[in-house]
Amino acid sequence: MQPTEIADTLDRFQWEALRALCLPSPDARRLNGPAVARLLKEDLLELHDDRPSLTAKGRRVIVCGSPLLWNS
């Protein structure tokens, strides 16, 4: 699946989690649990020391964004 195809399937909470994890010091405790679980399943996040972090695939999805977001 291409990054834009995955991006089109993400909901608001999943996008917020991805964007929050781009910050230099993300507060993982404030992330939506089901959103993080979905992002882990899609290989957009991975766990390091029980903390979610972006994968290369997750970074590509953020950079590409979603055409649905472009039009809003």
Side-chain angles (χ1 to χ4, degrees):
M1 202 180 255
Q2 296 294 322
T4 54
E5 292 171 349
I6 294 169
D8 288 343
T9 67
L10 300 178
D11 66 23
R12 179 176 63 97
F13 299 108
Q14 293 157 351
W15 273 110
E16 287 176 6
L18 280 177
R19 285 193 304 262
L21 289 166
C22 289
L23 299 173
S25 299
D27 185 2
R29 295 171 295 167
R30 299 188 62 174
L31 298 175
N32 179 285
V36 170
R38 163 91 193 284
L39 297 171
L40 286 166
K41 181 181 173 201
E42 296 291 336
D43 297 322
L44 302 178
L45 299 180
E46 59 191 3
L47 293 177
H48 288 283
D49 298 325
D50 293 330
R51 291 181 169 220
S53 64
L54 289 171
T55 62
K57 183 177 177 182
R59 285 188 290 279
R60 281 194 306 276
V61 167
I62 289 173
V63 169
C64 291
S66 168
L68 297 176
L69 295 172
W70 301 340
N71 296 325
S72 60

